[in-house]
Amino acid sequence: MSLGGGYTPWEQMLYQFTNQFASQAKYDDFAALAAVTAASVAYATKGYLWARPDPYAYKLYERPQQSLSTGTTIQQSRDLAQRLDEENADVAILWASQSGTAERFAARLAKDLSRYLSVKVLLVDLSDIEPASCTKVPEGKLAFLLASTFGEGDPSDNMHEYWEWLHTAKGASLQNFRYLAFGLGNSKYKHYNAVMKTVASRLDAFGAKPLLPVGYADDAAGETEEHFLEWKVRVFTYFQEQLGYKLQEVGYEPSIDIQNDDSLEPIDLHHGIPNTRTNARGSSAQSKVYALPITQTRELFQDTNGRNCIHMELDLNEHPELKYKTGDHLAVWPVNPTVEIERLVSILGQEERRTSPCHIKSLDGTPVKVPSPTTLNALLEHYLEVCAPVPRDAIATLATYAPTEDAKQLLLSISKSKESYHEYQANNYINLGRLMEKACPGEGAWKGLPLSLVIEKLPAMQPRYYSISSSSVVQARRAAITAVVADKPLQSQDRIPGLATNYLLSLKSSTEQAAVSHPNGLTYTLPLEHQPLQASHIHAAVRKSTFKMPPTAATPIVMVGAGTGVAPFRAFVAERSKLKAMGRDVGATKLFFGCRHPQQDFIYSEEFDEMKAKLGDGFSLTTAFSRPDNKSEKRYVQDCVEQEAEEVCRLLVDEKSYFYICGSAGMAREVSDVVNSIIRKRQGWNEEQMKDFADRQKKQKRWLQDVWG
């Protein structure tokens, strides 16, 4: 007997199978029948009850740099020449950014060129174009490139494809490619602005034509903003004198529209979950963002004396898919302090509007940097950097809306020159709310200031990155971070509180209340609003790092860290202690650690004593104290490295040890200089031989740095 037509071969086979077993039923047969039936059900329900595809996956591929909240689903061409033609643009502005600064500058440049010179601009994330399509850009068009350098001369995540093309393309011709370039970096780093220098060099080698010398921003002294403004003046001058554009005096024109919509329900709104963007073609180094429970916090400084260092541990168990490896980083999204939010809302006279649902839409085609729909409360608490300094050119724009003549003259006097701006900045904490309050205080005093201008001028909230100070081998489902509370002193004896670290300090003070205060006098409303339980969570993501231990535990390692630069080394040593206890062969583990005073800020000292007991002579810790008691000698980590030159050289050269530096960029440069010097002296090498050795070590990932400015 067989089934009639209309049935699939699978259904016919199943029918014959069950019919046969019905006449010759045995216990094993029924077991087999049950297995086949289960398989049949699984096959039939695939895609319905299980293995359901992500309905938004295609959107991440089509628009890797755009938040899903915008609703954009149109796939755009990756051909730069085609995009310029389709949008009738004369200029393409391509940006590559890690922390968001280059992206922000690119958006400002696009808007200013359009408004003041009537230039038709295409603003593009560098990962959204096919690199080779630059060869097809016609001579009548030109391009801007803005790119940042981070780490050891590394390109940003969204530049990886373009970076690879620049280094591997053969026979590419950019004879018609005219460009202007601006790089962002920090001269304290050894590879200052290396990315843009390399990009310009490779473009020129392919025949591209630079229209102006490359501009460089140096953040070592906080000059990035001023260097950008100076470069932009040169760009505007070139456009007027060489390209024939005419400068127009225009007033403020909003680039976004904000519309209240009371029909929206709370579930429709963005209340505080970070506004992140997935880059499908760039690096997949960073995980999704999760609300992670805080399981432990403690003060690490023995004598705080106005200073704090926080150890915080976060539970990953609620998110099985979230994993980290020893040496990775944790990206933490901070929350703005309530006192600064209240100041800004009050002086803008926006109290009645702060909880109203609203849509925020672009008026000029530029992607909106904040999620929509949302509320003003959420914007000022989670999505905009309310505490950020106000750029000089933004102060000049602000002056046009000053409610009094005195307020206008004060703002104009601050913004008239680089010198006047820096002088005021050295003595005053000038975030937007404080600046307006200084110029003209009073509730609603600045009610005439367009809210769109406030949203445009405040930068989007960016995560802060911390080295994970725990080992994934020791505690795989709990990640620890270590952070010194950073407050910048001013000449006026006032201080600028570090946003993220003071937020973490607030969380340490209480994990149960919705709002807490801490010693610096700032109050934070913790995410999510009106939910006290969320006070024990932070929004964070794991970022993969190349700062990794050797593949085998038997390989020696030498580590140099100062201050919280010891954080990843706490993880390294803890992991080796665990492996040693498991009977594994563990190589020499040498750590140089520097801080101010042995009884004040020697963090994790007791833990290192415990690890020493487990590792025995295989672990050595050399300390350097820069502010010891009068009887002691002031020492820095580079001094200790030099004093133990023979042992360090033996490990690095003879034993092929891995070498790690973590801490400030200035410290890292001095340590590197000392290591270069002692190896050259011991080996009798010249500069070229030493460079070859260092380059080889770095290429093999045996010489690694994790540094900051």
Side-chain angles (χ1 to χ4, degrees):
M1 178 179 179
S2 63
L3 293 175
Y7 290 89
T8 67
W10 170 263
E11 290 170 328
Q12 293 187 37
M13 181 186 73
L14 179 61
Y15 178 85
Q16 293 171 358
F17 187 88
T18 53
N19 193 46
Q20 175 186 355
F21 273 46
S23 59
Q24 298 178 355
K26 295 181 181 179
Y27 180 82
D28 290 343
D29 297 336
F30 281 114
L33 176 61
V36 172
T37 303
S40 302
V41 172
Y43 178 85
T45 59
K46 181 180 180 181
Y48 297 94
L49 300 181
W50 67 282
R52 297 169 63 182
D54 180 359
Y56 301 110
Y58 72 98
K59 295 183 181 180
L60 295 181
Y61 177 77
E62 291 174 352
R63 296 293 299 142
Q65 290 298 324
Q66 188 156 345
S67 171
L68 294 179
S69 63
T70 64
T72 298
T73 60
I74 300 173
Q75 184 173 0
Q76 293 179 299
S77 170
R78 298 191 70 215
D79 188 305
L80 181 58
Q82 183 178 338
R83 288 284 301 277
L84 284 165
D85 182 62
E86 289 175 347
E87 303 193 26
N88 194 29
D90 299 316
V91 171
I93 299 180
L94 312 173
W95 58 266
S97 184
Q98 192 67 25
S99 65
T101 306
E103 178 185 4
R104 189 167 70 249
F105 283 169
R108 281 169 59 184
L109 179 63
K111 184 173 182 178
D112 290 347
L113 285 173
S114 177
R115 288 180 61 206
Y116 296 112
L117 296 176
S118 296
V119 178
K120 296 177 181 178
V121 178
L122 169 68
L123 179 64
V124 188
D125 177 337
L126 198 55
S127 71
D128 282 343
I129 68 160
E130 175 63 41
S133 67
C134 290
T135 62
K136 297 188 288 183
V137 173
E139 190 174 6
K141 312 289 186 179
L142 62 88
F144 285 87
L145 292 102
L146 290 84
S148 60
T149 299
F150 81 103
E152 295 188 71
D154 299 319
S156 57
D157 290 346
N158 67 319
M159 194 183 194
H160 284 182
E161 185 182 8
Y162 195 81
W163 185 259
E164 183 179 358
W165 178 78
L166 287 174
H167 287 80
T168 59
K170 295 181 179 180
S173 174
L174 293 174
Q175 296 297 323
N176 294 330
F177 192 79
R178 301 182 301 159
Y179 75 94
L180 301 100
F182 185 74
L184 294 86
N186 188 313
S187 60
K188 289 184 179 179
Y189 287 72
K190 184 175 182 180
H191 302 280
Y192 168 61
N193 257 312
V195 167
M196 185 49 74
K197 291 175 181 176
T198 301
V199 169
S201 175
R202 299 300 300 161
L203 289 175
D204 294 350
F206 291 147
K209 300 178 180 64
L211 300 182
L212 285 174
V214 177
Y216 295 110
D218 185 3
D219 197 43
E223 293 279 295
T224 296
E225 181 74 33
E226 285 296 336
H227 291 164
F228 172 71
L229 293 178
E230 293 168 0
W231 175 75
K232 193 173 73 169
V233 168
R234 296 196 295 272
V235 168
F236 269 53
T237 301
Y238 183 87
F239 267 69
Q240 294 172 77
E241 295 180 354
Q242 303 298 322
L243 302 179
Y245 286 89
K246 295 185 181 301
L247 186 67
Q248 306 173 78
E249 291 295 333
V250 295
Y252 167 69
E253 297 176 0
S255 61
I256 58 173
D257 180 41
I258 308 164
Q259 294 184 349
N260 285 0
D261 186 350
D262 293 332
S263 69
L264 293 169
E265 298 294 332
I267 195 172
D268 300 323
L269 307 177
H270 294 265
H271 292 287
I273 296 175
N275 183 37
T276 59
R277 292 170 298 188
T278 303
N279 184 350
R281 300 183 189 90
S283 170
S284 58
Q286 190 160 295
S287 74
K288 289 170 55 181
V289 181
Y290 298 89
L292 300 179
I294 300 170
T295 59
Q296 181 189 123
T297 62
R298 69 178 190 269
E299 174 63 51
L300 293 178
F301 284 168
Q302 297 92 324
D303 179 4
T304 58
N305 192 26
R307 299 170 66 231
N308 297 92
C309 186
I310 302 161
H311 175 89
M312 180 175 288
E313 299 195 5
L314 305 166
D315 186 5
L316 311 185
N317 283 304
E318 293 181 8
H319 310 284
E321 70 279 14
L322 181 61
K323 299 178 174 65
Y324 79 95
K325 295 294 184 182
T326 307
D328 283 345
H329 299 112
L330 198 75
V332 174
W333 274 262
V335 173
N336 287 313
T338 307
V339 65
E340 299 298 340
I341 298 171
E342 297 296 335
R343 172 182 283 112
L344 187 55
V345 169
S346 174
I347 206 161
L348 289 172
Q350 295 285 346
E351 186 64 42
E352 294 182 359
R353 190 176 184 178
R354 63 189 300 173
T355 59
S356 300
C358 62
H359 288 284
I360 303 173
K361 299 180 180 179
S362 174
L363 295 175
D364 60 5
T366 304
V368 179
K369 63 187 175 186
V370 293
S372 176
T374 185
T375 65
L376 180 59
N377 248 3
L379 288 174
L380 299 183
E381 191 171 330
H382 300 282
Y383 298 121
L384 295 169
E385 300 241 0
V386 168
C387 298
V390 186
R392 183 160 60 89
D393 59 344
I395 297 178
T397 303
L398 194 65
T400 63
Y401 290 93
T404 67
E405 185 61 27
D406 287 344
K408 181 177 182 179
Q409 292 306 315
L410 173 62
L411 296 178
L412 290 176
S413 68
I414 296 170
S415 63
K416 68 180 179 181
S417 68
K418 173 181 176 179
E419 291 72 26
S420 60
Y421 177 74
H422 282 177
E423 181 180 356
Y424 191 84
Q425 193 178 41
N427 291 280
N428 298 274
Y429 176 19
I430 54 170
N431 64 35
L432 184 58
R434 287 173 180 254
L435 182 62
M436 292 192 297
E437 188 178 65
K438 182 77 172 179
C440 186
E443 185 176 351
W446 289 79
K447 196 165 187 176
L449 185 69
L451 187 57
S452 59
L453 178 61
V454 174
I455 296 174
E456 288 171 13
K457 295 302 181 183
L458 291 175
M461 182 69 78
Q462 298 292 335
R464 275 58 172 177
Y465 293 91
Y466 299 92
S467 299
I468 295 179
S469 52
S470 56
S471 162
S472 56
V473 171
V474 178
Q475 48 185 68
R477 305 309 303 156
R478 183 180 291 191
I481 57 174
T482 308
V484 168
V485 178
D487 293 334
K488 179 183 177 181
L490 299 172
Q491 294 178 5
S492 60
Q493 306 302 313
D494 197 4
R495 303 177 76 85
I496 300 177
L499 176 62
T501 52
N502 277 302
Y503 168 58
L504 294 176
L505 181 60
S506 293
L507 288 169
K508 175 184 174 296
S509 301
S510 173
T511 58
E512 296 179 353
Q513 300 178 16
V516 296
S517 297
H518 60 71
N520 286 325
L522 297 181
T523 304
Y524 285 74
T525 301
L526 305 176
L528 297 170
E529 48 188 53
H530 312 308
Q531 295 187 30
L533 177 63
Q534 292 297 325
S536 60
H537 291 65
I538 63 173
H539 283 115
V542 171
R543 178 178 171 79
K544 295 177 183 177
S545 168
T546 58
F547 202 74
K548 297 297 186 184
M549 296 178 70
T552 61
T555 304
I557 59 175
V558 176
M559 303 161 286
V560 182
T564 53
V566 79
F569 302 142
R570 171 188 183 258
F572 285 15
V573 180
E575 184 162 312
R576 291 203 151 192
S577 299
K578 176 75 171 180
L579 295 175
K580 179 78 170 180
M582 295 168 59
R584 298 279 294 275
D585 183 18
V586 174
T589 306
K590 190 170 186 62
L591 171 62
F592 294 93
F593 171 64
C595 62
R596 294 184 181 184
H597 193 281
Q599 274 75 53
Q600 294 177 3
D601 55 357
F602 184 2
I603 61 177
Y604 300 123
S605 58
E606 294 182 358
E607 292 186 23
F608 283 126
D609 287 341
E610 295 173 2
M611 296 174 192
K612 170 68 175 175
K614 295 178 181 178
L615 287 170
D617 294 339
F619 173 56
S620 67
L621 170 61
T622 303
T623 53
F625 303 112
S626 61
R627 300 183 187 179
D629 297 330
N630 293 334
K631 297 179 181 179
S632 303
E633 179 186 358
K634 178 186 293 188
R635 294 203 308 172
Y636 298 93
V637 283
Q638 57 266 31
D639 300 325
C640 297
V641 171
E642 190 167 23
Q643 289 172 1
E644 299 189 32
E646 180 58 34
E647 177 65 7
V648 171
C649 290
R650 184 187 68 80
L651 288 169
L652 296 184
V653 180
D654 301 342
E655 300 296 327
K656 295 181 172 53
S657 170
Y658 277 53
F659 182 49
Y660 304 90
I661 307 175
C662 186
S664 72
M667 178 276 295
R669 290 190 69 168
E670 294 193 33
V671 170
S672 295
D673 290 344
V674 166
V675 171
N676 286 337
S677 175
I678 62 177
I679 291 179
R680 281 186 58 192
K681 183 177 180 180
R682 179 183 187 262
Q683 300 298 116
W685 290 344
N686 58 32
E687 288 187 15
E688 189 63 30
Q689 289 172 308
M690 183 62 216
K691 182 179 183 303
D692 289 343
F693 172 77
D695 289 346
R696 188 165 58 253
Q697 294 294 94
K698 291 172 183 177
K699 186 175 182 179
Q700 296 173 356
K701 305 297 183 185
R702 290 176 175 271
W703 186 321
L704 298 167
Q705 294 187 175
D706 186 357
V707 300
W708 52 86

